[in-house]
Amino acid sequence: MCNFAFHIMKYMEERTDNSYNHILKYTGLFGGVQGFIILIGLVRNKAMALLIGAGGMGFNSLLTSMQNFASQCTNLGISFGAVPRLSEYYEKQEEQQLHYYIQVIRLWSLIAAALGFLFCVAVSPLVDDLSFTWGNHTYHYAMLAIAVAMSAIAGGEVAILKATRRLGALAKIQIYSVILSVIVSVPLYYFFYHSGVLPAIVLIAATNMITTIAYSYHCYPLHLHFNFSMLRNGASMIQLGLAYVLAAAIGSAAEMLIRSFLNVQGSLDEVGLYNVGFMITITYAGMVFSAMETDFFPRLSGVAHDIKSTNETVNKQTEVSLLMLAPMLVALLTFLPILIPMLFSSEFLPVVQMAQVAVLAMYFKVLTMPVAYITLARHCSMAFLFLESSYYIVLVVAIMFGFHWWGIFGTGVAIVVAHVIECIMVMAYAYWRYDYRSTWFIARYASIQMTIGFAAYVISLLTEGWLYWIIEAALTIVSTAYSIQVLRQKTHLWERLKQRVRI
């Protein structure tokens, strides 16, 4: 009997990394790091709002959208495709192969940097025609080529640090980079106003690259020795990341198209308003989503071809993420009328209604993301590309219609519509292709928390003054209390189960 209990305990301990305790712990941990980065980023956004206004933030949004688009089109997927093979060499302690492949990555990173530079310069006139109806901004878009090239070099070094488990260094790089972005950009906005936007983007990319290569070159010094065989050895790396590059490029293109459409049909001010509403909603929820790639995805990959284990892993992650995020969403929706002017300025108050309705989209996103990772864990790159592309097409079309009928508020409605359709598509595909089955627990938690969230939104439309704050505060407390109660039951269940086995 004791021997049987020992084996049961051993089995349970082996599966601890899939327990509610583990998921809650690491979601909180990585969410905390992401929260610090978001906080520093909000300081920078506040400075931008005060120093360059909505128009300046709209101009910055257009330039950064172009930078992201050019990077995604030309980075060759190195930051993803380089990790598996290099990680294998690292695990097997094959030092010679490890150092050789690092040189391969750095060679291809230089090629990606050159491609990014040339691509950005080449498409600048076309992008200027699409995004502006006044003036000539080709020079501004062309100068982004410098930032695109530096981002490609930094991306290769990040892949090296990931594969060789330098996670502490990666965390420091992220924190230092976001702090330096404030130190570098704020003086430029103060002294040069809108003219400081482009130099700030380039210098931020430079500080990120310098910080990254400083850590990476310290661990693995740079050796300039390249030959043709290195190009061949890097071909599989490029092949692996191609679908992810295309998906990211489509996403960046969609974001750039949306902002260009808003600028042409509206103005730079409306681009700035949309960017603030989108950013504060998506970024805030990202505190919970940040744990997905870092902790959840590796765990899911390990059981990806076991249907039962896949369902268990996805469902537990969904439960914890939903229960952690839901109270945050109600609180965000409640305090947006205070947060927007506090984090930016009173000039951005028109975006409050758009941001409040966009918050509702995050309920569907938290249900979709864990399931969407199944396609990545199964290495179904084309399925991932199809689902991502479909979402962005729906988002662009919905925003065009929403803005036409209801202005900036309509873009918030469009974001909700796009996420609902994405949720249906991803769930249906996973059900059919991977035999994914959700649980009644998720249905119950989602129905209760969504009801509270939608009630909070309706209250924001119908009430104001002290009545608004009393009811919204009560809904926030109810949502928080419910999540805490369920999470306590889930985490304590594991300890009770272990105690029963000991008995």
Side-chain angles (χ1 to χ4, degrees):
M1 184 67 182
C2 293
N3 190 42
F4 173 76
F6 170 77
H7 287 294
I8 294 295
M9 281 293 296
K10 183 178 180 181
Y11 172 77
M12 290 170 63
E13 293 295 340
E14 287 173 352
R15 297 179 62 84
T16 300
D17 64 345
N18 199 34
S19 69
Y20 289 103
N21 303 66
H22 174 92
I23 299 169
L24 186 61
K25 173 184 175 182
Y26 284 95
T27 301
L29 176 63
F30 293 121
V33 174
Q34 187 68 20
F36 175 77
I37 295 173
I38 291 171
L39 180 63
I40 301 298
L42 289 174
V43 172
R44 176 169 170 260
N45 291 327
K46 175 70 173 181
M48 288 179 65
L50 293 176
L51 296 174
I52 62 178
M57 292 191 73
F59 184 48
N60 178 79
S61 175
L62 286 171
L63 292 182
T64 52
S65 296
M66 170 59 181
Q67 178 193 0
N68 293 334
F69 173 64
S71 293
Q72 299 293 357
C73 285
T74 59
N75 64 20
L76 304 178
I78 293 173
S79 61
F80 171 82
V83 173
R85 189 170 173 185
L86 188 63
S87 181
E88 182 181 350
Y89 292 143
Y90 178 78
E91 288 292 338
K92 294 180 178 179
Q93 298 183 349
E94 297 178 359
E95 292 296 324
Q96 185 176 354
Q97 292 293 331
L98 178 73
H99 286 88
Y100 175 78
Y101 202 66
I102 286 174
Q103 291 187 62
V104 172
I105 293 171
R106 286 172 173 167
L107 171 61
W108 277 98
S109 295
L110 288 174
I111 293 172
L115 286 174
F117 187 94
L118 295 174
F119 176 84
C120 197
V121 172
V123 302
S124 293
L126 175 62
V127 175
D128 179 44
D129 290 339
L130 290 173
S131 55
F132 282 95
T133 56
W134 52 272
N136 186 353
H137 298 84
T138 302
Y139 166 78
H140 297 102
Y141 285 121
M143 287 299 293
L144 290 173
I146 301 171
V148 172
M150 290 188 291
S151 297
I153 294 172
E157 301 304 322
V158 166
I160 294 169
L161 293 172
K162 280 183 181 178
T164 56
R165 310 297 192 272
R166 310 284 178 170
L167 301 182
L170 285 170
K172 291 177 183 178
I173 288 168
Q174 289 181 339
I175 293 172
Y176 292 156
S177 294
V178 74
I179 293 174
L180 287 172
S181 71
V182 176
I183 297 173
V184 166
S185 60
V186 171
L188 289 171
Y189 301 146
Y190 180 79
F191 288 109
F192 300 104
Y193 195 50
H194 286 190
S195 299
V197 170
L198 177 61
I201 292 173
V202 175
L203 286 176
I204 289 170
T207 56
N208 180 60
M209 183 192 71
I210 293 169
T211 306
T212 305
I213 64 175
Y215 275 95
S216 185
Y217 287 3
H218 175 74
C219 299
Y220 300 98
L222 177 65
H223 298 291
L224 297 175
H225 175 68
F226 301 134
N227 54 55
F228 186 74
S229 65
M230 290 182 175
L231 292 174
R232 294 197 306 270
N233 287 322
S236 60
M237 169 181 69
I238 304 306
Q239 224 172 17
L240 183 61
L242 183 59
Y244 304 95
V245 169
L246 290 174
I250 291 170
S252 297
E255 291 298 332
M256 187 172 62
L257 181 60
I258 289 168
R259 286 160 175 80
S260 298
F261 170 81
L262 294 177
N263 187 39
V264 172
Q265 297 297 317
S267 66
L268 271 179
D269 286 354
E270 286 172 305
V271 176
L273 292 173
Y274 168 80
N275 195 56
V276 165
F278 184 86
M279 176 182 60
I280 198 169
T281 304
I282 303 299
T283 303
Y284 184 75
M287 292 176 63
V288 172
F289 298 148
S290 63
M292 297 280 187
E293 183 177 351
T294 312
D295 174 60
F296 167 66
F297 180 51
R299 287 189 291 109
L300 180 62
S301 299
V303 298
H305 295 284
D306 183 331
I307 295 173
K308 182 179 178 181
S309 298
T310 295
N311 286 345
E312 179 188 5
T313 303
V314 171
N315 289 333
K316 284 185 177 181
Q317 183 69 45
T318 303
E319 289 175 31
V320 174
S321 298
L322 173 64
L323 291 168
M324 289 186 68
L325 183 63
M328 297 167 61
L329 294 179
V330 179
L332 175 63
L333 193 151
T334 300
F335 290 101
L336 273 172
I338 295 176
L339 288 174
I340 294 292
M342 182 178 71
L343 296 175
F344 301 94
S345 70
S346 57
E347 183 182 3
F348 292 87
L349 278 174
V351 83
V352 169
Q353 288 187 332
M354 173 266 187
Q356 284 181 321
V357 71
V359 166
L360 301 179
M362 296 302 99
Y363 286 100
F364 297 96
K365 187 177 182 67
V366 76
L367 296 175
T368 304
M369 278 194 71
V371 182
Y373 269 102
I374 300 176
T375 58
L376 294 173
R378 290 283 189 95
H379 302 286
C380 299
S381 55
M382 295 311 295
F384 171 77
L385 177 61
F386 170 77
L387 292 170
E388 285 289 293
S389 302
S390 300
Y391 161 71
Y392 283 113
I393 291 171
V394 171
L395 179 65
V396 170
V397 173
I399 284 181
M400 286 181 175
F401 276 98
F403 184 76
H404 175 74
W405 288 104
W406 299 302
I408 199 67
F409 170 75
T411 63
V413 176
I415 291 171
V416 177
V417 171
H419 278 85
V420 171
I421 294 175
E422 181 195 27
C423 185
I424 294 171
M425 287 192 303
V426 170
M427 292 291 187
Y429 184 82
Y431 183 92
W432 167 72
R433 184 70 177 81
Y434 307 120
D435 290 324
Y436 168 71
R437 299 294 184 269
S438 185
T439 65
W440 73 274
F441 289 109
I442 293 176
R444 185 175 72 178
Y445 303 154
S447 61
I448 292 173
Q449 291 290 14
M450 281 186 176
T451 300
I452 296 172
F454 278 81
Y457 177 68
V458 172
I459 293 301
S460 72
L461 296 178
L462 300 179
T463 63
E464 58 183 18
W466 61 268
L467 184 61
Y468 167 87
W469 292 108
I470 290 175
I471 299 177
E472 295 286 23
L475 290 172
T476 303
I477 292 171
V478 170
S479 177
T480 304
Y482 179 74
S483 289
I484 290 174
Q485 179 190 12
V486 175
L487 288 171
R488 285 184 65 184
Q489 291 174 349
K490 295 288 186 182
T491 53
H492 288 172
L493 178 63
W494 180 254
E495 294 300 326
R496 290 200 301 268
L497 187 58
K498 288 198 292 184
Q499 288 174 4
R500 288 181 182 180
V501 171
R502 289 193 183 99
I503 295 172

